[in-house]
mmCIF file of all heavy atoms in Angstrom:
data_model
loop_
_atom_site.group_PDB
_atom_site.id
_atom_site.type_symbol
_atom_site.label_atom_id
_atom_site.label_comp_id
_atom_site.label_asym_id
_atom_site.label_seq_id
_atom_site.Cartn_x
_atom_site.Cartn_y
_atom_site.Cartn_z
ATOM 1 N N HIS A 102 200.612 98.839 104.790
ATOM 2 C CA HIS A 102 200.795 99.641 105.994
ATOM 3 C C HIS A 102 199.526 100.449 106.226
ATOM 4 O O HIS A 102 199.036 101.108 105.315
ATOM 5 C CB HIS A 102 202.006 100.576 105.836
ATOM 6 C CG HIS A 102 202.012 101.672 106.855
ATOM 7 N ND1 HIS A 102 201.976 101.419 108.209
ATOM 8 C CD2 HIS A 102 202.018 103.026 106.727
ATOM 9 C CE1 HIS A 102 201.966 102.577 108.862
ATOM 10 N NE2 HIS A 102 201.988 103.562 107.990
ATOM 11 N N TRP A 103 199.018 100.385 107.453
ATOM 12 C CA TRP A 103 197.782 101.095 107.810
ATOM 13 C C TRP A 103 198.188 102.472 108.315
ATOM 14 O O TRP A 103 198.428 102.647 109.505
ATOM 15 C CB TRP A 103 197.006 100.308 108.861
ATOM 16 C CG TRP A 103 196.957 98.825 108.599
ATOM 17 C CD1 TRP A 103 197.755 97.871 109.168
ATOM 18 C CD2 TRP A 103 196.071 98.128 107.712
ATOM 19 N NE1 TRP A 103 197.412 96.628 108.691
ATOM 20 C CE2 TRP A 103 196.381 96.748 107.796
ATOM 21 C CE3 TRP A 103 195.042 98.535 106.856
ATOM 22 C CZ2 TRP A 103 195.711 95.780 107.053
ATOM 23 C CZ3 TRP A 103 194.374 97.570 106.130
ATOM 24 C CH2 TRP A 103 194.705 96.218 106.225
ATOM 25 N N HIS A 104 198.283 103.412 107.407
ATOM 26 C CA HIS A 104 198.792 104.748 107.737
ATOM 27 C C HIS A 104 197.737 105.526 108.519
ATOM 28 O O HIS A 104 196.692 105.861 107.974
ATOM 29 C CB HIS A 104 199.168 105.476 106.438
ATOM 30 C CG HIS A 104 199.625 106.890 106.623
ATOM 31 N ND1 HIS A 104 200.724 107.414 105.980
ATOM 32 C CD2 HIS A 104 199.129 107.907 107.366
ATOM 33 C CE1 HIS A 104 200.875 108.682 106.331
ATOM 34 N NE2 HIS A 104 199.912 109.005 107.171
ATOM 35 N N GLY A 105 198.048 105.779 109.800
ATOM 36 C CA GLY A 105 197.106 106.530 110.642
ATOM 37 C C GLY A 105 196.421 105.666 111.677
ATOM 38 O O GLY A 105 195.694 106.174 112.523
ATOM 39 N N ASP A 113 201.487 96.639 111.900
ATOM 40 C CA ASP A 113 201.653 97.928 111.221
ATOM 41 C C ASP A 113 201.876 97.816 109.707
ATOM 42 O O ASP A 113 201.529 98.723 108.957
ATOM 43 C CB ASP A 113 202.830 98.645 111.908
ATOM 44 C CG ASP A 113 203.244 99.929 111.245
ATOM 45 O OD1 ASP A 113 202.556 100.947 111.474
ATOM 46 O OD2 ASP A 113 204.248 99.934 110.510
ATOM 47 N N HIS A 142 198.835 101.692 102.298
ATOM 48 C CA HIS A 142 199.696 101.667 101.105
ATOM 49 C C HIS A 142 200.854 100.719 101.334
ATOM 50 O O HIS A 142 201.154 100.350 102.471
ATOM 51 C CB HIS A 142 200.203 103.077 100.761
ATOM 52 C CG HIS A 142 201.029 103.748 101.817
ATOM 53 N ND1 HIS A 142 202.364 103.501 102.011
ATOM 54 C CD2 HIS A 142 200.692 104.680 102.747
ATOM 55 C CE1 HIS A 142 202.818 104.251 103.000
ATOM 56 N NE2 HIS A 142 201.827 104.981 103.479
ATOM 57 N N HIS A 144 204.766 99.553 101.608
ATOM 58 C CA HIS A 144 205.820 100.230 102.384
ATOM 59 C C HIS A 144 207.093 99.389 102.381
ATOM 60 O O HIS A 144 207.667 99.121 103.433
ATOM 61 C CB HIS A 144 205.299 100.441 103.808
ATOM 62 C CG HIS A 144 205.866 101.604 104.557
ATOM 63 N ND1 HIS A 144 207.213 101.899 104.628
ATOM 64 C CD2 HIS A 144 205.239 102.560 105.288
ATOM 65 C CE1 HIS A 144 207.378 102.978 105.390
ATOM 66 N NE2 HIS A 144 206.198 103.405 105.799
ATOM 67 N N HIS A 394 206.054 112.062 109.211
ATOM 68 C CA HIS A 394 205.020 111.081 109.575
ATOM 69 C C HIS A 394 205.556 110.128 110.633
ATOM 70 O O HIS A 394 206.712 109.726 110.583
ATOM 71 C CB HIS A 394 204.599 110.305 108.324
ATOM 72 C CG HIS A 394 203.732 109.115 108.598
ATOM 73 N ND1 HIS A 394 202.581 109.175 109.349
ATOM 74 C CD2 HIS A 394 203.835 107.810 108.206
ATOM 75 C CE1 HIS A 394 202.031 107.964 109.417
ATOM 76 N NE2 HIS A 394 202.775 107.123 108.731
ATOM 77 N N VAL A 395 204.692 109.770 111.584
ATOM 78 C CA VAL A 395 205.051 108.804 112.627
ATOM 79 C C VAL A 395 204.032 107.662 112.609
ATOM 80 O O VAL A 395 202.825 107.908 112.544
ATOM 81 C CB VAL A 395 205.043 109.438 114.039
ATOM 82 C CG1 VAL A 395 205.659 108.471 115.052
ATOM 83 C CG2 VAL A 395 205.770 110.767 114.065
ATOM 84 N N HIS A 396 204.525 106.447 112.676
ATOM 85 C CA HIS A 396 203.651 105.272 112.739
ATOM 86 C C HIS A 396 203.135 105.039 114.157
ATOM 87 O O HIS A 396 203.810 105.368 115.136
ATOM 88 C CB HIS A 396 204.420 104.012 112.315
ATOM 89 C CG HIS A 396 204.709 103.930 110.842
ATOM 90 N ND1 HIS A 396 204.850 102.739 110.180
ATOM 91 C CD2 HIS A 396 204.878 104.894 109.908
ATOM 92 C CE1 HIS A 396 205.100 102.959 108.895
ATOM 93 N NE2 HIS A 396 205.134 104.272 108.705
ATOM 94 N N GLY A 397 201.965 104.428 114.234
ATOM 95 C CA GLY A 397 201.464 103.909 115.511
ATOM 96 C C GLY A 397 200.834 104.919 116.449
ATOM 97 O O GLY A 397 200.370 104.540 117.522
ATOM 98 N N ASP A 419 198.877 112.570 111.998
ATOM 99 C CA ASP A 419 199.966 111.588 111.941
ATOM 100 C C ASP A 419 201.027 112.013 110.946
ATOM 101 O O ASP A 419 202.074 111.373 110.837
ATOM 102 C CB ASP A 419 199.439 110.184 111.636
ATOM 103 C CG ASP A 419 198.572 110.132 110.389
ATOM 104 O OD1 ASP A 419 199.055 110.540 109.318
ATOM 105 O OD2 ASP A 419 197.414 109.664 110.467
ATOM 106 N N HIS A 446 209.297 109.146 109.395
ATOM 107 C CA HIS A 446 209.966 109.461 108.131
ATOM 108 C C HIS A 446 209.344 110.637 107.404
ATOM 109 O O HIS A 446 208.241 111.076 107.730
ATOM 110 C CB HIS A 446 209.968 108.223 107.219
ATOM 111 C CG HIS A 446 208.611 107.674 106.856
ATOM 112 N ND1 HIS A 446 207.908 108.108 105.757
ATOM 113 C CD2 HIS A 446 207.830 106.728 107.456
ATOM 114 C CE1 HIS A 446 206.760 107.438 105.682
ATOM 115 N NE2 HIS A 446 206.681 106.598 106.700
ATOM 116 N N HIS A 448 207.380 111.914 104.277
ATOM 117 C CA HIS A 448 206.429 111.246 103.387
ATOM 118 C C HIS A 448 206.556 111.680 101.927
ATOM 119 O O HIS A 448 205.700 111.351 101.095
ATOM 120 C CB HIS A 448 204.992 111.376 103.900
ATOM 121 C CG HIS A 448 204.195 110.115 103.745
ATOM 122 N ND1 HIS A 448 203.728 109.683 102.518
ATOM 123 C CD2 HIS A 448 203.820 109.171 104.649
ATOM 124 C CE1 HIS A 448 203.086 108.534 102.694
ATOM 125 N NE2 HIS A 448 203.130 108.200 103.968
HETATM 126 CU CU1 CU B 2 202.325 105.366 108.274
#
Side-chain angles (χ1 to χ4, degrees):
H102 164 56
W103 317 99
H104 176 136
D113 174 79
H142 61 81
H144 208 313
H394 170 52
V395 190
H396 287 208
D419 53 56
H446 60 89
H448 221 286

